[in-house]
Amino acid sequence: MDILNHRLVDCQAVHLTCSKNTRALEKPDTIVLHYTAGRSVLSSAFYLCRPDVAASAHLVIGRAGEIIQLVPFNIEAWHAGRSFYRGRVEFNHFSIGVELDNLGRLRRDGMRFFAECGVEVMPSDVYADDSGGKISYWHKYTDRQVRTLRDVCRMLAREYSIAHVLCHSDITPRKIDPGPALEGALREIGYLNIQSLISNL
């Protein structure tokens, strides 16, 4: 995996055109992680590229570890919205947005689990979190997906001097993504937290 002209190469990444994004992103220093809450990696990528959708991202990483790049890393994507964290605002202006193909928070109905979009998730793919004092249910991330995310974050950190990796929920109280299932998946492969994706180089 490498970066050439602000695009991923040597990793079989698929490149789409997201022509609505044109503003320069000159010195990104942060990666912001999201989940798509969509039905598939392709449907989410195509949705984010639509000219009538006021959202986009630089990358979408699928559950099999596939990568789709929508926006070059030197162009601002619309993934952070109204955002603030530790005295900084408007994170679109200095961050790279990475979407992970994941259905997000789930609703339990007896022994069945459903995403907001109506997709049923098998119990083996459900992550139960009790950190808030009440159990909540989330779509698990896959091992291949998380390892691809790790590799991408390392590459971006080397190329652009990335100093921070944040969750979307860190920079706006309106959002809950990428959710606790990602921290759980990272712990399974030996990472303490999301920030360690770039600190353990």
Side-chain angles (χ1 to χ4, degrees):
M1 184 184 298
D2 202 353
I3 295 174
L4 179 65
N5 295 327
H6 306 288
R7 290 186 176 273
L8 290 176
V9 294
D10 299 333
C11 62
Q12 298 184 328
V14 173
H15 294 274
L16 300 181
T17 299
C18 194
S19 57
K20 64 191 175 187
N21 293 104
T22 59
R23 180 173 177 164
L25 179 64
E26 295 182 357
K27 293 182 179 179
D29 63 15
T30 301
I31 297 169
V32 179
L33 304 180
H34 309 257
Y35 60 53
T36 60
R39 291 176 176 266
S40 73
V41 63
L42 275 177
S43 67
S44 296
F46 286 133
Y47 176 80
L48 290 168
C49 283
R50 280 172 40 179
D52 60 325
V53 172
S56 59
H58 292 93
L59 301 177
V60 184
I61 299 177
R63 299 184 65 73
E66 65 272 45
I67 304 172
I68 302 176
Q69 183 162 7
L70 315 183
V71 179
F73 300 125
N74 65 334
I75 300 294
E76 184 178 300
W78 304 336
H79 61 95
R82 296 190 309 274
S83 47
F84 57 91
Y85 182 77
R86 294 186 177 177
R88 304 176 85 190
V89 299
E90 304 298 334
F91 271 72
N92 283 338
H93 298 337
F94 50 85
S95 67
I96 291 172
V98 178
E99 294 270 358
L100 298 163
D101 179 23
N102 183 279
L103 291 164
R105 190 167 185 169
L106 307 174
R107 172 179 57 86
R108 180 173 179 174
D109 185 359
M111 293 303 295
R112 301 173 72 186
F113 299 88
F114 297 90
E116 186 176 327
C117 64
V119 173
E120 183 172 3
V121 177
M122 294 297 100
S124 59
D125 289 329
V126 174
Y127 179 85
D129 176 66
D130 61 357
S131 60
K134 182 180 179 181
I135 295 180
S136 58
Y137 302 97
W138 306 78
H139 193 198
K140 284 184 178 179
Y141 294 87
T142 71
D143 182 73
R144 288 183 68 183
Q145 186 176 36
V146 172
R147 291 181 187 277
T148 298
L149 173 64
R150 174 199 61 193
D151 294 344
V152 165
C153 287
R154 288 177 174 179
M155 176 65 62
L156 292 172
R158 287 195 295 268
E159 184 74 14
Y160 297 105
S161 299
I162 298 293
H164 312 284
V165 181
L166 298 174
C167 298
H168 197 188
S169 56
D170 291 330
I171 62 174
T172 174
R174 300 175 296 109
K175 299 294 183 177
I176 59 174
D177 59 315
L182 181 57
E183 295 257 8
L186 287 169
R187 286 193 295 270
E188 287 185 6
I189 61 172
Y191 286 82
L192 295 176
N193 52 41
I194 286 172
Q195 183 65 23
S196 63
L197 282 167
I198 59 169
S199 62
N200 285 358
L201 297 179

